[in-house]
């Protein structure tokens, strides 16, 4: 009989939320050791392991789990989370080119998820590309803010975001 991984993922998520990262990892590693798992199931377990490592502050340990989850074809909401987690983790580790590539993939795959733009902007700032960072943040703000003042000046903000260094 095939193992249902959903209860294992739910239990690991509860442990992670409680800060019991080691227990969560052990549970997930045990689930991964089961035979007959599909690639999609393995991808989900690897993603959960990456998340546990990140939550515990073990960013470098999280990277191969994120990479494996994505390589195995992680899909949907979990793919979005893995791309953001991996991109953010690469950035935190100073792997800016990897972060930029990963976050750009997230922006392409999930254009409505502005969190990718925010992390990409931080990465560009880390790369001394502050104009790119400011442009993207202003565009994201104009696209997502319900603030009446931002909406009133939306067109101007979007124009100036693309002309940051121009003087008239």
């Amino acid at each position: 009989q095939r193992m249902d991984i959903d209860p294992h993922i739910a239990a690991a998520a509860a442990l992670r939320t409680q800060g019991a990262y080691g227990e969560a990892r052990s549970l997930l590693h045990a689930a991964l050791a089961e035979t007959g798992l599909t690639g999609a199931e393995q991808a989900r377990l690897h993603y959960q392991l990456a998340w546990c490592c990140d939550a515990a502050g073990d960013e470098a340990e999280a990277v191969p789990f994120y990479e494996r989850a994505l390589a195995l074809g992680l899909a949907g909401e979990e793919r979005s989370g893995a791309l953001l987690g991996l991109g953010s983790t690469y950035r935190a580790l100073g792997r800016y080119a990897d972060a930029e590539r990963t976050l750009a993939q997230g922006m392409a795959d999930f254009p409505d998820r502005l969190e990718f733009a925010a992390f990409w902007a931080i990465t560009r700032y880390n790369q001394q590309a502050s104009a790119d960072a400011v442009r993207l943040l202003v565009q994201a703000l104009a696209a997502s803010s319900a603030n009446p003042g931002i909406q009133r000046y939306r067109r101007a903000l979007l124009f100036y975001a693309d002309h940051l260094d121009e003087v008239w």
Side-chain angles (χ1 to χ4, degrees), residues 55-142:
D58 298 328
E59 286 87 358
E61 193 176 330
V63 169
F65 291 118
Y66 279 129
E67 291 173 337
R68 184 76 178 130
L70 291 165
L72 285 167
L74 193 65
E77 194 66 27
E78 290 175 315
R79 177 175 168 75
S80 173
L83 285 168
L84 187 71
L86 180 57
S88 174
T89 297
Y90 280 148
R91 191 209 64 78
L93 295 171
R95 294 176 59 179
Y96 302 129
D98 290 331
E100 187 178 4
R101 183 190 76 253
T102 303
L103 294 166
Q105 183 66 56
M107 287 188 293
D109 291 355
F110 303 96
D112 295 334
R113 304 293 298 263
L114 294 179
E115 60 268 33
F116 287 104
F119 280 92
W120 192 84
I122 296 168
T123 302
R124 294 300 289 151
Y125 170 83
N126 292 141
Q127 294 172 306
Q128 315 306 310
S130 57
D132 275 353
V134 169
R135 177 183 50 77
L136 199 58
L137 286 176
V138 170
Q139 289 170 340
L141 178 67

